Amino acid sequence: LNFYDNLLKTSVNKNVSQFILFSSVKIYSKGLGINENSPIKINSIYTKVKNNLEKKIIIYKTKHNTKFKIIRISNVFGLSKIYNNNFDKLILPSMLKSIFCSEELVLYYPNLKKDFLSTYEFIFKLKKVIDHKIEKKYEVYNICSYKSFSLINVSKTIKNIIKEKFKYNFKLIIKSKKRFKLSYKTKHK
């Protein structure tokens, strides 16, 4: 968090007109029907860090003229130029890796619902947020699709697309548990 303190101090000292913090919709206590005023729930180190950064912005906004924008982003999908850095940690790439490495996809929590946003839609909405003139010292924006899809429905869609486009079939295995988990075994060495 010291890095962000230094970044905030520098932006204020250099009279930066607009400071944007990328946060996450994961800080909300519920996943469906959220808006910028929905309650926040800290349930992981990730959400704790995001929430602490947002609190720092709120402290800074009272003392300085810089305009602050907090952007809470949902699950963005699409290829990235640096996908090797975090490819396996993202849900859709993890699912695809499981499918192509083990010829199966195991869902332990199939009814888990997620909001997915394409990179194109994200960039379009991000530009609108950047261009939006704010009157207050800070604003919070959600960038998401506002549509939630269960992992079972996403998995079935992926299965149909892969079967139709690539003539490739894989086994979809549902093992309901309390927590969501993806697993895969590599067949090839």
Side-chain angles (χ1 to χ4, degrees), residues 21-147:
L21 172 71
F22 289 113
S23 190
S24 173
V25 295
K26 291 180 183 178
I27 69 168
Y28 293 118
S29 61
K30 59 181 180 172
L32 303 175
I34 59 167
N35 65 46
E36 287 79 357
N37 298 313
S38 295
I40 290 173
K41 181 178 181 183
I42 308 304
N43 57 10
S44 70
I45 209 93
Y46 178 78
T47 55
K48 183 177 182 177
V49 168
K50 293 293 185 184
N51 190 51
N52 286 342
L53 291 171
E54 289 189 20
K55 285 180 180 177
K56 284 184 182 293
I57 295 272
I58 292 167
I59 291 167
Y60 266 83
K61 65 104 176 156
T62 59
K63 300 177 183 176
H64 306 287
N65 289 329
T66 299
K67 303 278 186 178
F68 294 97
K69 293 181 180 178
I70 298 169
I71 302 176
R72 296 177 180 154
I73 306 166
S74 73
N75 299 288
V76 179
F77 69 91
L79 284 180
S80 162
K81 289 183 180 179
I82 55 167
Y83 69 87
N84 286 332
N85 291 353
N86 65 355
F87 190 73
D88 293 335
K89 296 177 187 130
L90 303 172
I91 187 133
L92 290 176
S94 294
M95 293 170 88
L96 292 172
K97 184 173 183 180
S98 176
I99 291 164
F100 290 111
C101 288
S102 66
E103 296 178 4
E104 66 182 31
L105 176 61
V106 180
L107 293 179
Y108 291 95
Y109 200 38
N111 295 319
L112 178 70
K113 291 194 172 191
K114 294 253 183 201
D115 179 292
F116 293 101
L117 183 71
S118 74
T119 52
Y120 298 109
E121 191 175 3
F122 169 72
I123 290 167
F124 175 76
K125 289 181 177 186
L126 178 62
K127 183 174 179 347
K128 282 187 163 195
V129 169
I130 290 170
D131 292 343
H132 182 250
K133 304 290 184 225
I134 60 175
E135 299 301 319
K136 298 187 264 181
K137 291 276 193 158
Y138 87 103
E139 287 282 341
V140 176
Y141 304 85
N142 290 337
I143 296 185
C144 48
S145 69
Y146 293 101
K147 299 174 197 163

